[in-house]
Structure formats: structure tokens, C-alpha cells
Amino acid sequence: MDKPALLQRIVATLEQDMEVLRRAAQTAYEAATAEENIAENKYDTLGLEASYLATGQARRTAEIRQALVTYQQLLLRDYDPARGIQIGCLVTLEDEDGQQRRLFLGPEGAGLKIGEGAEQVTVITPRAPLGQQMLGKRVDDEISLVVNGLAQVQFIIAVS
């Protein structure tokens, strides 16, 4: 999958996620304000719980909206070995066992998975430890992270 196609799929996924959350927040808001959910005593918290849920969903919708705007404005550039890995790079890592994974260093949307199988790309950001380590690195560089007390070494085998 090339970067322009990946960017289109990220935008489409964020749009879909935002719409699903918007509808869920609307449903929770309606439940929070429904007349039958007015508290009859101090133990009747259905309306309050729905209100908390609606607030959280509205907040998450705003986060996704911001990520969507950021990706819609993202200018993809070709990889420049002199600068190393930057936001907008598609990176292939290989661990010591030969397992490969593809990562897109994006400005937002960490954890988003696009595609399936060998074509799957995971979005990470520079705020993640792996994203921080990748910034400025080049093909054949090594990245080492400690996860659950174990050092994991990965090699950058391709960048676009």
C-alpha cells in the first residue's frame, strides 16, 4: 500500500469512526435528558450515568475530528535519508525473529490499524516511545525498546 492510498484510508476510517461516535453521543444525550430517566431518588443514577457517557463520547468525537482535520491537511513528502524518519513516513521494521510490521508515523490517530494481514499498517505518533525512537533514524538503524522488562530490538528495513 502506498502512502497516498494509506492517507485516504486513514481519513475514511476517521470519518467513519467520528460518525459512529457522533450517533452514540446523540443517543446517550437523549437517554440523559429523557423524562423517564429523571432521578426518583438518590440511588437512581441512570440519567447521570448517561450524561457521563455522552460527555465522554462527545470528547472522543472532538479528538477524532481534530485528527481528521490534521490528516486532511497533511502533506506527504518523499523520504529524505538526510533528515531520517519524519512524520508522514511509512516504515517497515523487522525483529530478531524476522517478523516484520509496517508503521505509519502520523501526527494523530495512534493505534489505528489500516488493512489486513501482510498489508496491515499501524499508525503511531511521535508521542509513543517507539515513535520517539524512530524520529531521525534511517534504513538499517536499530531501535531498542524495553517492554515488560524485556529488551526488544527491531531493525528499520524500509522507509518511504
Side-chain angles (χ1 to χ4, degrees):
M1 178 180 327
D2 65 353
K3 289 194 308 186
L6 177 62
L7 181 59
Q8 285 180 335
R9 290 189 62 186
I10 290 171
V11 167
T13 300
L14 288 171
E15 286 173 339
Q16 182 181 14
D17 289 352
M18 192 172 70
E19 180 57 25
V20 168
L21 269 173
R22 187 197 62 74
R23 283 183 290 180
Q26 181 63 33
T27 301
Y29 171 79
E30 290 169 2
T33 58
E35 189 173 318
E36 64 268 9
N37 290 336
I38 294 174
E40 296 175 5
N41 58 52
K42 66 181 182 178
Y43 301 108
D44 189 2
T45 61
L46 183 62
L48 182 61
E49 291 168 8
S51 172
Y52 288 150
L53 181 61
T55 300
Q57 288 171 329
R59 188 174 299 125
R60 181 68 183 130
T61 301
E63 290 170 1
I64 291 175
R65 183 179 296 115
Q66 178 58 43
L68 180 60
V69 168
T70 302
Y71 276 104
Q72 287 170 333
Q73 296 173 351
L74 182 64
L75 297 175
L76 295 176
R77 293 186 170 89
D78 290 335
Y79 170 65
D80 178 5
R83 294 184 67 212
I85 295 172
Q86 301 294 317
I87 288 179
C89 284
L90 182 58
V91 181
T92 304
L93 298 179
E94 184 174 273
D95 66 17
E96 294 170 319
D97 298 327
Q99 297 287 343
Q100 293 183 3
R101 65 179 176 156
R102 297 178 74 199
L103 304 170
F104 180 75
L105 187 61
E108 299 285 341
L112 195 61
K113 294 187 185 318
I114 306 295
E116 296 177 15
E119 282 291 308
Q120 186 177 59
V121 177
T122 302
V123 176
I124 65 169
T125 68
R127 292 184 294 276
L130 181 58
Q132 288 173 2
Q133 284 218 10
M134 284 176 33
L135 282 173
K137 299 277 185 174
R138 294 168 183 76
V139 173
D140 296 328
D141 281 352
E142 180 180 297
I143 295 174
S144 179
L145 287 176
V146 177
V147 179
N148 295 329
L150 299 172
Q152 293 182 352
V153 177
Q154 299 186 7
F155 302 94
I156 301 168
I157 62 170
V159 181
S160 61

